Amino acid sequence: MKYWLMKTEGSEYSLEDLKRDKRTAWEGVRNFQARNFMQEMREGDLILFYHSSSEVNGVYGIAKVAAIAHSDKTQFDPQSDYFEKRATKEKPVWYCVDIEFAKKFAKPVTLAELKSDPNLEGMRVRERGSRLSVQPVSESHFKRVVALGR
DNA sequence: GCCAACGTTGGC
DNA sequence: GCCAACGTTGGC
């Protein structure tokens, strides 16, 4: 089993939204590295759910991979912001996984906390200028963040 | 294949 | 709202 971190703008789609929807297709990722990481995900993998560009940036809780990567349908929709003219049904360019709500932390583990915890050294999201919206997380880092969220 | 220009992300 | 850092595009 692997562990991941996924970013979202809290005002766009928050953990509360996921809790309400229970499950959603993580559409709209338009970055190759992020796409490749999603293709590595397996059902049951756990995800730290991170809000960026929010009042309080940080990990708000946990989501779980509910379905492995499949074609992102928004790439075929000319009305969509995520339309991709290079994509065909036979050869899609973009993929997404389905994720489901797992847990909301008692309080978010803020970016400041992530940065100041010596146990979390090496976590990608801590790095200045880190823009990758889907990233792998080590098991020990994952467990540490969950402990901080309790 | 290089790299400048551009658009976007994301912390502050 | 600002701006630094980043990823992608496209001309050469």
Short mmCIF file of all heavy atoms in Angstrom, two decimals, chain A residues 31-33 86 128-129 131, chain C residues 4-10:
data_model
loop_
_atom_site.label_atom_id
_atom_site.label_comp_id
_atom_site.label_asym_id
_atom_site.label_seq_id
_atom_site.Cartn_x
_atom_site.Cartn_y
_atom_site.Cartn_z
N ASN A 31 -1.00 18.06 -15.38
CA ASN A 31 0.44 18.09 -15.15
C ASN A 31 0.92 16.66 -15.27
O ASN A 31 0.31 15.74 -14.70
CB ASN A 31 0.71 18.67 -13.75
CG ASN A 31 2.15 18.51 -13.32
OD1 ASN A 31 2.58 17.41 -12.95
ND2 ASN A 31 2.91 19.59 -13.36
N PHE A 32 1.98 16.46 -16.04
CA PHE A 32 2.38 15.10 -16.38
C PHE A 32 2.88 14.31 -15.18
O PHE A 32 2.56 13.13 -15.03
CB PHE A 32 3.44 15.12 -17.49
CG PHE A 32 2.87 15.55 -18.81
CD1 PHE A 32 3.10 16.83 -19.31
CD2 PHE A 32 2.07 14.69 -19.55
CE1 PHE A 32 2.55 17.23 -20.51
CE2 PHE A 32 1.52 15.09 -20.76
CZ PHE A 32 1.76 16.36 -21.25
N GLN A 33 3.66 14.96 -14.33
CA GLN A 33 4.16 14.26 -13.15
C GLN A 33 3.00 13.82 -12.25
O GLN A 33 2.98 12.69 -11.75
CB GLN A 33 5.07 15.18 -12.35
CG GLN A 33 6.54 14.89 -12.52
CD GLN A 33 7.35 15.75 -11.57
OE1 GLN A 33 7.34 16.98 -11.63
NE2 GLN A 33 8.06 15.10 -10.66
N ARG A 86 -5.48 17.59 -28.16
CA ARG A 86 -4.67 16.45 -28.62
C ARG A 86 -5.29 15.10 -28.27
O ARG A 86 -4.85 14.06 -28.76
CB ARG A 86 -3.28 16.52 -27.98
CG ARG A 86 -2.47 17.72 -28.39
CD ARG A 86 -1.20 17.84 -27.57
NE ARG A 86 -1.47 18.15 -26.15
CZ ARG A 86 -0.52 18.41 -25.26
NH1 ARG A 86 0.74 18.39 -25.61
NH2 ARG A 86 -0.84 18.69 -24.01
N ARG A 128 9.77 25.11 -0.70
CA ARG A 128 9.41 26.37 -1.33
C ARG A 128 9.23 26.17 -2.83
O ARG A 128 10.06 25.54 -3.50
CB ARG A 128 10.56 27.35 -1.06
CG ARG A 128 10.51 28.65 -1.78
CD ARG A 128 11.79 29.42 -1.40
NE ARG A 128 11.98 30.57 -2.27
CZ ARG A 128 11.34 31.73 -2.10
NH1 ARG A 128 10.49 31.86 -1.12
NH2 ARG A 128 11.56 32.74 -2.92
N GLY A 129 8.13 26.69 -3.35
CA GLY A 129 7.90 26.61 -4.79
C GLY A 129 7.41 25.25 -5.26
O GLY A 129 7.34 25.00 -6.46
N ARG A 131 4.98 22.88 -6.52
CA ARG A 131 3.68 23.09 -7.15
C ARG A 131 2.99 21.79 -7.53
O ARG A 131 1.89 21.80 -8.07
CB ARG A 131 3.86 23.94 -8.41
CG ARG A 131 4.20 25.36 -8.10
CD ARG A 131 4.55 26.13 -9.34
NE ARG A 131 3.53 25.96 -10.37
CZ ARG A 131 3.55 26.60 -11.53
NH1 ARG A 131 4.52 27.42 -11.79
NH2 ARG A 131 2.61 26.41 -12.40
P DA C 4 10.02 38.60 -7.16
OP1 DA C 4 10.52 39.72 -6.35
OP2 DA C 4 10.09 38.60 -8.64
"O5'" DA C 4 10.69 37.27 -6.63
"C5'" DA C 4 10.34 36.78 -5.32
"C4'" DA C 4 10.15 35.28 -5.40
"O4'" DA C 4 8.84 34.95 -5.91
"C3'" DA C 4 11.15 34.58 -6.33
"O3'" DA C 4 11.55 33.40 -5.65
"C2'" DA C 4 10.33 34.27 -7.59
"C1'" DA C 4 8.94 34.07 -7.02
N9 DA C 4 7.82 34.40 -7.91
C8 DA C 4 7.71 35.47 -8.74
N7 DA C 4 6.56 35.52 -9.38
C5 DA C 4 5.87 34.42 -8.93
C6 DA C 4 4.59 33.92 -9.21
N6 DA C 4 3.74 34.48 -10.06
N1 DA C 4 4.22 32.78 -8.59
C2 DA C 4 5.06 32.21 -7.72
N3 DA C 4 6.28 32.59 -7.37
C4 DA C 4 6.63 33.72 -8.01
P DA C 5 12.67 32.45 -6.23
OP1 DA C 5 13.46 31.98 -5.08
OP2 DA C 5 13.29 33.08 -7.40
"O5'" DA C 5 11.79 31.24 -6.75
"C5'" DA C 5 10.99 30.53 -5.82
"C4'" DA C 5 10.20 29.51 -6.61
"O4'" DA C 5 9.20 30.19 -7.41
"C3'" DA C 5 11.04 28.68 -7.57
"O3'" DA C 5 10.76 27.33 -7.29
"C2'" DA C 5 10.57 29.12 -8.96
"C1'" DA C 5 9.15 29.60 -8.69
N9 DA C 5 8.64 30.63 -9.60
C8 DA C 5 9.28 31.76 -10.03
N7 DA C 5 8.56 32.51 -10.82
C5 DA C 5 7.35 31.84 -10.91
C6 DA C 5 6.15 32.12 -11.61
N6 DA C 5 5.97 33.20 -12.36
N1 DA C 5 5.14 31.24 -11.48
C2 DA C 5 5.33 30.15 -10.72
N3 DA C 5 6.40 29.78 -10.02
C4 DA C 5 7.40 30.68 -10.16
P DC C 6 11.58 26.14 -7.95
OP1 DC C 6 11.67 25.11 -6.91
OP2 DC C 6 12.78 26.67 -8.63
"O5'" DC C 6 10.58 25.62 -9.07
"C5'" DC C 6 9.28 25.18 -8.66
"C4'" DC C 6 8.37 25.19 -9.84
"O4'" DC C 6 8.24 26.52 -10.36
"C3'" DC C 6 8.85 24.36 -11.02
"O3'" DC C 6 8.17 23.11 -10.96
"C2'" DC C 6 8.45 25.17 -12.25
"C1'" DC C 6 7.73 26.37 -11.68
N1 DC C 6 7.96 27.65 -12.39
C2 DC C 6 6.90 28.20 -13.12
O2 DC C 6 5.82 27.59 -13.16
N3 DC C 6 7.09 29.38 -13.76
C4 DC C 6 8.26 30.00 -13.69
N4 DC C 6 8.39 31.15 -14.33
C5 DC C 6 9.36 29.45 -12.95
C6 DC C 6 9.16 28.28 -12.32
P DG C 7 8.54 21.94 -11.98
OP1 DG C 7 8.20 20.67 -11.31
OP2 DG C 7 9.87 22.17 -12.54
"O5'" DG C 7 7.48 22.18 -13.15
"C5'" DG C 7 6.09 22.12 -12.87
"C4'" DG C 7 5.33 22.28 -14.17
"O4'" DG C 7 5.48 23.63 -14.64
"C3'" DG C 7 5.81 21.36 -15.28
"O3'" DG C 7 4.65 20.90 -15.96
"C2'" DG C 7 6.68 22.26 -16.15
"C1'" DG C 7 6.03 23.63 -15.95
N9 DG C 7 6.95 24.77 -16.00
C8 DG C 7 8.18 24.88 -15.44
N7 DG C 7 8.75 26.04 -15.64
C5 DG C 7 7.82 26.75 -16.38
C6 DG C 7 7.87 28.07 -16.91
O6 DG C 7 8.77 28.90 -16.80
N1 DG C 7 6.72 28.39 -17.62
C2 DG C 7 5.66 27.55 -17.79
N2 DG C 7 4.62 28.02 -18.50
N3 DG C 7 5.58 26.31 -17.31
C4 DG C 7 6.70 25.98 -16.62
P DT C 8 4.71 20.03 -17.30
OP1 DT C 8 3.53 19.14 -17.32
OP2 DT C 8 6.07 19.49 -17.47
"O5'" DT C 8 4.47 21.15 -18.41
"C5'" DT C 8 3.26 21.89 -18.36
"C4'" DT C 8 3.18 22.77 -19.59
"O4'" DT C 8 4.17 23.82 -19.49
"C3'" DT C 8 3.44 22.04 -20.91
"O3'" DT C 8 2.38 22.41 -21.76
"C2'" DT C 8 4.81 22.55 -21.35
"C1'" DT C 8 4.85 23.94 -20.73
N1 DT C 8 6.19 24.50 -20.38
C2 DT C 8 6.47 25.80 -20.74
O2 DT C 8 5.69 26.50 -21.36
N3 DT C 8 7.70 26.26 -20.35
C4 DT C 8 8.66 25.55 -19.64
O4 DT C 8 9.73 26.08 -19.34
C5 DT C 8 8.31 24.20 -19.30
C7 DT C 8 9.27 23.36 -18.55
C6 DT C 8 7.10 23.74 -19.67
P DT C 9 2.27 21.83 -23.29
OP1 DT C 9 0.84 21.61 -23.52
OP2 DT C 9 3.28 20.76 -23.47
"O5'" DT C 9 2.71 23.09 -24.16
"C5'" DT C 9 2.10 24.34 -23.90
"C4'" DT C 9 2.77 25.38 -24.77
"O4'" DT C 9 4.08 25.68 -24.26
"C3'" DT C 9 2.95 24.96 -26.23
"O3'" DT C 9 2.34 25.96 -27.02
"C2'" DT C 9 4.47 24.85 -26.41
"C1'" DT C 9 5.00 25.75 -25.32
N1 DT C 9 6.31 25.41 -24.68
C2 DT C 9 7.22 26.41 -24.48
O2 DT C 9 7.02 27.56 -24.83
N3 DT C 9 8.37 26.04 -23.85
C4 DT C 9 8.70 24.78 -23.40
O4 DT C 9 9.77 24.57 -22.83
C5 DT C 9 7.70 23.76 -23.64
C7 DT C 9 7.98 22.36 -23.21
C6 DT C 9 6.58 24.12 -24.26
P DG C 10 2.13 25.80 -28.58
OP1 DG C 10 0.95 26.61 -28.93
OP2 DG C 10 2.22 24.37 -28.95
"O5'" DG C 10 3.41 26.53 -29.19
"C5'" DG C 10 3.69 27.87 -28.82
"C4'" DG C 10 5.02 28.26 -29.44
"O4'" DG C 10 6.09 27.71 -28.63
"C3'" DG C 10 5.23 27.69 -30.84
"O3'" DG C 10 5.94 28.66 -31.59
"C2'" DG C 10 6.09 26.46 -30.60
"C1'" DG C 10 6.96 26.96 -29.48
N9 DG C 10 7.60 25.94 -28.66
C8 DG C 10 7.19 24.63 -28.44
N7 DG C 10 8.01 23.98 -27.66
C5 DG C 10 8.99 24.90 -27.34
C6 DG C 10 10.15 24.77 -26.53
O6 DG C 10 10.53 23.78 -25.90
N1 DG C 10 10.88 25.94 -26.47
C2 DG C 10 10.54 27.10 -27.14
N2 DG C 10 11.38 28.13 -26.97
N3 DG C 10 9.48 27.23 -27.89
C4 DG C 10 8.76 26.11 -27.95
#
